[in-house]
Amino acid sequence: MPDTTEMPNSPAPLLPPPWHSDDRSRPRIRDVRVILTAPEGTRLVVVKVETDEPELYGLGCATFTQRPLAVATAIEEYLRPQVIGRSVHDIEDLWSMLAVSSYWRSGPVLNNAMSGLDMALWDAVAKARRVPLWKLLADRYNGGKFDDKAWVYAAGGYYYPGKDLDGLQDEMKHYLDLGYSTVKMKIGGVPLADDLKRIEAVLKVIGGKGENLCVDVNGRYDLDQALACGAAIAPYNLRWYEEPLDPLDYLLHAALATRYAPPLATGENLFSMQDARNLIRHGGLRPDRDVLQFDPALSYGLVEYLRTLAMLQRHGWSGRRCVPHGGHQFALNIAVGLGLGGNESYPDVFAPFGGFADDCPVENSLVRLPDIPGVGFEAKSALYRVMRPLAEG
Amino acid sequence: MPDTTEMPNSPAPLLPPPWHSDDRSRPRIRDVRVILTAPEGTRLVVVKVETDEPELYGLGCATFTQRPLAVATAIEEYLRPQVIGRSVHDIEDLWSMLAVSSYWRSGPVLNNAMSGLDMALWDAVAKARRVPLWKLLADRYNGGKFDDKAWVYAAGGYYYPGKDLDGLQDEMKHYLDLGYSTVKMKIGGVPLADDLKRIEAVLKVIGGKGENLCVDVNGRYDLDQALACGAAIAPYNLRWYEEPLDPLDYLLHAALATRYAPPLATGENLFSMQDARNLIRHGGLRPDRDVLQFDPALSYGLVEYLRTLAMLQRHGWSGRRCVPHGGHQFALNIAVGLGLGGNESYPDVFAPFGGFADDCPVENSLVRLPDIPGVGFEAKSALYRVMRPLAEG
């Protein structure tokens, strides 16, 4: 067993580290800090893993904007004490220990807490290896293969008081100017006839190409509404029709899929491999077209997301059907390194987490990732302005 | 809209109360307090709802022993500010407001927070009406019908270091002495051959009656193990075979149910009506024998549990198939008032929440409920010793 006496002030690990080689036993986690900050009004929960190598740290985001203090308490009081003194390379083992230690599982508080820590550990491990996270993932899990660029789309098209069709069109033109060819808008918040006018207005802006438009219901429809909307929008052959129904009502999705032929998308409200598996088994989705949006930050981190990808493969689904929700840099690395279908992005909301590294413009809805160690937070100056004081603190 | 100016120091309600009659607009919630206490080493999270009637309060239990401080933060920082000033009678409306306010749903932190508050509100409403909660529930939801007594069983039979077959038998004899005829023991923690010896030892104590013994795997088996154990125990025709498999893997349950004919039980790890519905739809369980253990304290409180019961009815399941997990006084009221199949109880663990009111002994695994207003915490002296300082504080 590795010698833990060099860190006399930290608690002894609860379990012996699983790796005994020198390479795997260093660096160790010296501390886990939670920093609450709200740049541009978004309440972020940032996790910093400090190691026993003075320059080496990892950053993660455990943000749950509606319940940030509950997430912070979960990390500080329950996760932090269990991981201090362990090697940063023990991610999978730490994950299992933390997951079972609460007995009762899942939900956005515990999942965001765990995935913020998971993200910070992956950032630290990639930095320790001096490689970008996407490269580390490609080498470890994808036979060294990675994508040169990630496909991304601009998520927006929200309802706002006073926002008319002109305002919606201006927003979408702005996304096109930023280099996106595919955009997403909300529907389901007004009567269908009004939504159809909004869809037509956006289609006009993007040259009538339905394959470049996604619509997102955020689970508001019942089956009748979803079928009616589906019948109305089917002729547009949209890129996808997202979360039309209660995300946990798998049979409703199966019923809709018997009638709506173009692509459906869902998954951001499923928080574990088991939930994802139930969608795949019972939701009637079609592996040649439908889109899975499980978010590695909402669903227990990358350790669980790897299990979800393995489950998909066993069920005959390609990872290319996955386009994670959330628009964060972590999922962008996963998309490129593991060969997903792409990633969401929020050019104008959730700042400063939306968008990309400074020298990586979006062109034709494709974006290159920076070639710096870790997740790459440090290459995105608007974000790093927020995170830097934390990193140096 | 009711006049809220009488409580000048409380925030205005976020939504107008849905009821306008005098009867429904009083009493109002003056404050919500969270009290952390650990009698006999069990870390309890007690919720106290104080009202604008000086003598009227409600108590609830939001206990999540592995993450108590995260639950306390969720209640104090996010739930409390939303309910102050509202009528205690607005439970369903408050529930909906609190549930949507987090956007991301479910999980043991948010669910325990909400159900602790929900329980305290039901306690307060029943006290305001000067009736026991079981009577209030019977009148409101069950056509006035209630059971004279609740069927209960003694959950125990844990593995402990040094606990041999004699120790296990002594424990079970103790439960019989307390008035239980049905007992439950853990299995799945040792090789099957050893568990079979343990089962035989317990059967000897209870007169060989398999219908008076439940075994509980806590989700540890894979399908092969569950089938092997099932084949070995089927001849005993046990009361039930509980949580043999991953509780979220519904197809595994369906597979097991094709081979194991006696009753199966599961559900304590499903936290919402939607999860329960998926078990019913996809789990292959049999409405003439299997047992559903959804816990109203783990799964969002009684408001959600009422939806779960309505869902069961739509799917052809009787409420008599429900025997909630947990052994708490709240579920005991629900069992009697809504005509469930019974309730778990923990005579020797989770003190002081295990057990029953002082003047209500268990006889032949049946127990009467006290006839005092509310949930009845005040009639259980060991529990009320803990809660009284909180109630009076």
Side-chain angles (χ1 to χ4, degrees), chain A residues 247-259:
Chain A
L248 287 172
D249 194 332
Y250 309 125
L251 277 190
L252 280 195
H253 287 82
L256 178 62
T258 67
R259 297 265 290 275

Side-chain angles (χ1 to χ4, degrees), chain A residues 4-16:
Chain A
T4 60
T5 57
E6 287 172 51
M7 300 178 66
N9 293 324
S10 68
L14 295 177
L15 297 171

Side-chain angles (χ1 to χ4, degrees), chain B residues 10 17 42 128 167 177 285 291 319:
Chain B
S10 69
T42 301
D177 291 343
L285 299 184
V291 177

Side-chain angles (χ1 to χ4, degrees), chain A residues 67 69 78 101 105 249 281, chain B residues 67 69 78 101 249 281:
Chain A
R67 299 290 185 266
L69 297 173
Y78 303 109
S101 75
R105 71 182 163 73
D249 194 332
R281 287 177 174 172
Chain B
R67 300 289 185 268
L69 297 173
Y78 303 109
S101 75
D249 195 331
R281 287 176 173 172

